Amino acid sequence: MKYTKSARTAHLHRLARELNMSFSETDDWGLMPLLDEFRLFRKGRRRKISNILHSVDDFLELNISIFDYEYTTGKNRERNRKRQTVFFFRSRALGLPEMYMKPERFFNRIASYLTLQQDIDFEEFPKFSKQYLLQGEDEDYVRYTMNKDVLTFFTKEKGWTLEAINFFLMFHHQGKILKPWEIKRLLKKGMKLHEMLKYEKR
């Protein structure tokens, strides 16, 4: 049976109740203006956020949003609608450099070798450095932020794209819509990552 958009919305609404989170089918929390600085949200056209699971802690210090994001690339017969599930949080406990991380491809390695493209590597974590392209204007602060726990986490967790700016951080699997049970796991991973990235823990 085809898994329709309406069925997904209903399943995620139930999941939100199970996780004690708020739910909105559309961007009622005004997230889009907060996301304009991220690379993902500058791609394509007809950008849309939907199926938002949202929570705020008792002290209003941590805002969590998990949502479906889609946009269109190309034109006419080459037109393609891309969709992915995104984890986004705003936290007063963070103080992150502006950085961008994505799975490293063969052409990225060649470009880095030819010094045509920045790639911050870690000698102590060769597997991480092989798996991911990591960039940021303040390299020293990026290295300070990507502590041992974070590097170990992403060495085991493959295929993620991450973007960070100050109090804001988002990560996702490019082009992958997660099933409800996968979103429950995503929430746990996101909370674990937040704990590792807290400024006081570095």
Side-chain angles (χ1 to χ4, degrees), residues 59-142:
F59 302 100
L60 304 179
E61 293 185 347
L62 175 61
N63 285 261
I64 298 171
S65 300
I66 302 173
F67 53 84
D68 293 340
Y69 174 65
E70 56 184 295
Y71 60 95
T72 299
T73 60
K75 295 181 179 180
N76 301 324
R77 293 184 179 180
E78 302 297 323
R79 186 170 57 188
N80 186 20
R81 194 70 174 161
K82 297 183 180 293
R83 304 174 67 213
Q84 51 266 303
T85 301
V86 177
F87 189 111
F88 171 66
F89 53 72
R90 295 165 281 165
S91 172
R92 296 180 183 179
L94 301 178
L96 302 172
E98 186 170 339
M99 62 181 180
Y100 178 70
M101 184 190 82
K102 70 175 184 177
E104 188 169 46
R105 309 303 184 195
F106 176 74
F107 66 87
N108 295 133
R109 298 191 188 106
I110 296 299
S112 298
Y113 179 76
L114 297 175
T115 67
L116 300 174
Q117 182 181 55
Q118 181 193 32
D119 184 12
I120 302 172
D121 288 330
F122 296 82
E123 292 183 2
E124 316 85 35
F125 289 86
K127 289 184 178 180
F128 170 87
S129 297
K130 185 177 181 180
Q131 289 171 198
Y132 286 105
L133 174 74
L134 177 62
Q135 300 175 323
E137 289 188 8
D138 190 341
E139 181 172 336
D140 289 339
Y141 197 24
V142 171

Side-chain angles (χ1 to χ4, degrees), residues 14-31:
R14 288 195 294 270
L15 176 63
R17 289 198 297 268
E18 180 184 339
L19 297 175
N20 197 29
M21 301 178 75
S22 301
F23 181 83
S24 176
E25 187 175 349
T26 58
D27 186 17
D28 292 343
W29 286 286
L31 292 174

